Amino acid sequence: MGVKQKRARYKEEFRREILDAARELFINEGYEKFSLRRLAEKIEYSPTTLYLYFKDKDDLLFAICEEVAEQFLDNLDRVGTLQTDPLEALRQALLYLMEFGLENPNQYKVFFFTNPMVYGTQEEFMERDSMARNSYFAFRKIVQDCIEAGRLREMDTEVLTQVLAVAAHGLIAMTLFNRSFPWADRQVLAHTLVDGLLRGYAP
Amino acid sequence: MGVKQKRARYKEEFRREILDAARELFINEGYEKFSLRRLAEKIEYSPTTLYLYFKDKDDLLFAICEEVAEQFLDNLDRVGTLQTDPLEALRQALLYLMEFGLENPNQYKVFFFTNPMVYGTQEEFMERDSMARNSYFAFRKIVQDCIEAGRLREMDTEVLTQVLAVAAHGLIAMTLFNRSFPWADRQVLAHTLVDGLLRGYAP
DNA sequence: TTTTTTTATTAACATCGTTAATTTAAACCT
DNA sequence: AGGTTTAAATTAACGATGTTAATAAAAAAA
């Protein structure tokens, strides 16, 4: 009964086409309403066709995560090299992270809150080259520079990097997911958070 | 074809029975595997029976959230009154929050990361009495005491409370959801985070 | 006992991710 | 050309989800 038939000449090309459509679907319809079937409908293919280009849903989400991470990393690098003062670079990086999450909620949700294992085990995450991993490295570099310049207390770089990251992510995640709560202005929260992390709230 | 028939004599009683079973299901099987149908099977009732006691899934989740929040609030109050030093009380409260989330991941996920609107609009959240709201109030009180005692910088209580909360939540949420990432020891992270928030990371 | 109300069930719908079997189109080969 | 092989896409189906409407069963009220 198939009336129209299409051929995707090059696998890579079509993969990109699918990913573009997926990203658009995420942005337009939101993270919650995304589904393989809707995506298939959007690109006017049968749902099963997707399985010729992606192993499963997680595989597709992983690809999207990498796209998002790439975009994020590009901007983070610009932020990092723009400032001469390492501490100011860190401040800007933290602010940028939060801005990125808040301005691209759907992409952020895919990136940080989908299937918790799309990047494999912890060892695999650190060994395999991925945009997500490189983002972390870039961020860690900024933190390290601060420590080496004596602008941050001497302490375990890994721990400090992670603490700073989770604090920033917390602001994004909470204001994004906990919509019933009357949050203060996000800009104010973001700046206050960075201030507190760097200077502390004690007088 | 119904062979066995049961009667739930008192609506409230049965509601509790359902909630207990739901909580158990959450704890044993995990957040991801929870479903109304599994719950129904567990209590040996038909799935539709649940709809006689809860409007829909969100309504049930809300009830569970409130249970979790009640438990959380009880312990938070104990922490708050145990310490004489307000700043130490805050430190303990933050540590307890993180401990609670990390030790009860399933309940935490229900509480903070299910349907973002179970508590209604932001106005409704603040006006309606709820354990979730009261938890926030209790936490805010601890922060306020610190400010009034001059142990924290003078600033908007609401903003400061929220910033401290999201930072702590970030640690929980990230280590809970981002399982592919090789996090440092959570205890270390938690203590370092609180330290940083109160004293700052700058030298 | 008969009627009414409460409680529970069955059947069904729309959605989801996914697999197996099958059809269609293109590419290849004398 | 025509026939064969390979690649691409589709249909049908499975098991699972939340949810609604129609119906049966039991308890309470009359």
Side-chain angles (χ1 to χ4, degrees), chain B:
Chain B
M1 266 153 190
V3 168
K4 51 187 164 185
Q5 300 290 110
K6 315 100 186 234
R7 284 299 108 115
R9 260 171 283 175
Y10 298 113
K11 213 149 182 162
E12 275 307 317
E13 221 171 76
F14 196 29
R15 254 184 85 104
R16 275 225 62 85
E17 219 172 287
I18 295 176
L19 286 175
D20 286 347
R23 185 161 29 82
E24 213 177 299
L25 201 58
F26 264 116
I27 293 173
N28 292 341
E29 308 276 342
Y31 172 79
E32 286 75 14
K33 300 202 152 188
F34 177 88
S35 81
L36 289 187
R37 295 183 114 105
R38 288 171 79 97
L39 176 57
E41 192 179 16
K42 182 181 170 70
I43 61 176
E44 292 185 298
Y45 278 80
S46 135
T48 50
T49 301
L50 297 173
Y51 285 84
L52 301 177
Y53 299 88
F54 298 93
K55 183 171 156 287
D56 53 17
K57 194 184 182 183
D58 276 355
D59 190 31
L60 195 155
L61 290 179
F62 174 85
I64 294 181
C65 285
E66 282 293 274
E67 280 203 344
V68 175
E70 185 172 4
Q71 180 192 342
F72 174 75
L73 182 53
D74 280 351
N75 297 354
L76 185 65
D77 275 340
R78 270 197 310 115
V79 168
T81 55
L82 213 68
Q83 301 290 334
T84 57
D85 180 11
L87 195 63
E88 197 51 35
L90 175 57
R91 168 177 254 107
Q92 293 304 323
L94 284 169
L95 288 174
Y96 168 67
L97 166 57
M98 291 185 272
E99 187 188 324
F100 180 85
L102 296 176
E103 305 250 310
N104 311 286
N106 293 311
Q107 310 175 47
Y108 178 82
K109 284 179 188 173
V110 188
F111 193 7
F112 290 107
F113 286 93
T114 35
N115 192 316
M117 277 313 210
V118 282
Y119 280 98
T121 69
Q122 301 190 349
E123 287 80 18
E124 286 166 347
F125 177 86
M126 282 314 245
E127 282 165 16
R128 261 195 227 144
D129 179 64
S130 77
M131 288 295 171
R133 186 195 65 162
N134 294 342
S135 297
Y136 175 69
F137 286 168
F139 187 61
R140 189 180 59 185
K141 175 77 166 54
I142 298 177
V143 174
Q144 184 132 38
D145 287 348
C146 287
I147 296 181
E148 285 172 0
R151 306 298 304 274
L152 283 182
R153 275 156 48 194
E154 194 91 30
M155 56 194 300
D156 188 311
T157 311
E158 219 75 47
V159 169
L160 181 51
T161 305
Q162 293 181 16
V163 163
L164 292 171
V166 298
H169 276 293
L171 175 49
I172 307 170
M174 290 305 279
T175 60
L176 234 50
F177 284 92
N178 244 297
R179 301 283 291 282
S180 281
F181 188 85
W183 297 104
D185 180 86
R186 287 161 161 176
Q187 284 286 329
V188 173
L189 289 175
H191 280 87
T192 307
L193 176 58
V194 176
D195 244 54
L197 288 170
L198 301 186
R199 295 183 202 161
Y201 293 118

Side-chain angles (χ1 to χ4, degrees), chain A:
Chain A
M1 265 150 187
V3 168
K4 51 185 164 186
Q5 301 291 110
K6 315 103 186 223
R7 283 299 109 116
R9 260 172 283 174
Y10 298 112
K11 213 146 183 168
E12 274 308 315
E13 221 171 75
F14 195 29
R15 254 184 84 104
R16 275 226 61 85
E17 220 171 286
I18 294 175
L19 286 175
D20 287 346
R23 187 161 26 81
E24 214 177 299
L25 201 57
F26 265 116
I27 293 172
N28 293 340
E29 308 275 343
Y31 172 80
E32 286 75 14
K33 300 201 153 189
F34 177 88
S35 80
L36 289 186
R37 297 184 114 105
R38 287 171 81 98
L39 174 58
E41 192 179 18
K42 182 181 169 73
I43 61 177
E44 289 184 302
Y45 278 80
S46 137
T48 50
T49 302
L50 297 173
Y51 285 85
L52 302 176
Y53 299 88
F54 298 92
K55 182 172 157 289
D56 53 18
K57 194 184 182 184
D58 276 355
D59 190 31
L60 196 156
L61 290 179
F62 174 86
I64 294 182
C65 286
E66 282 297 88
E67 281 203 343
V68 175
E70 185 173 4
Q71 181 193 342
F72 174 74
L73 183 52
D74 281 352
N75 296 356
L76 184 65
D77 276 339
R78 270 197 310 113
V79 168
T81 55
L82 212 68
Q83 301 290 333
T84 58
D85 180 11
L87 195 63
E88 197 50 37
L90 175 57
R91 167 176 256 107
Q92 293 303 323
L94 284 169
L95 288 174
Y96 168 66
L97 167 56
M98 292 185 271
E99 187 188 325
F100 179 84
L102 297 175
E103 306 249 308
N104 310 288
N106 293 311
Q107 309 175 48
Y108 177 82
K109 284 180 189 175
V110 188
F111 193 6
F112 290 107
F113 286 93
T114 36
N115 192 317
M117 278 313 212
V118 284
Y119 279 98
T121 69
Q122 301 190 349
E123 287 80 17
E124 285 166 349
F125 177 85
M126 282 313 246
E127 281 164 17
R128 260 194 228 145
D129 178 67
S130 76
M131 288 296 172
R133 187 195 63 161
N134 295 341
S135 296
Y136 176 69
F137 286 167
F139 188 62
R140 190 180 57 183
K141 175 77 166 57
I142 297 177
V143 173
Q144 185 132 38
D145 287 348
C146 287
I147 295 180
E148 284 171 1
R151 304 298 304 274
L152 284 182
R153 274 154 50 192
E154 194 91 29
M155 55 194 301
D156 188 309
T157 312
E158 219 76 44
V159 169
L160 181 51
T161 305
Q162 293 180 17
V163 163
L164 291 171
V166 298
H169 276 293
L171 175 48
I172 307 170
M174 290 304 282
T175 59
L176 233 51
F177 284 93
N178 243 299
R179 301 283 290 283
S180 282
F181 189 85
W183 298 103
D185 181 85
R186 287 160 161 180
Q187 284 286 330
V188 173
L189 288 175
H191 279 87
T192 307
L193 176 58
V194 176
D195 243 55
L197 288 170
L198 301 186
R199 294 181 203 166
Y201 293 118

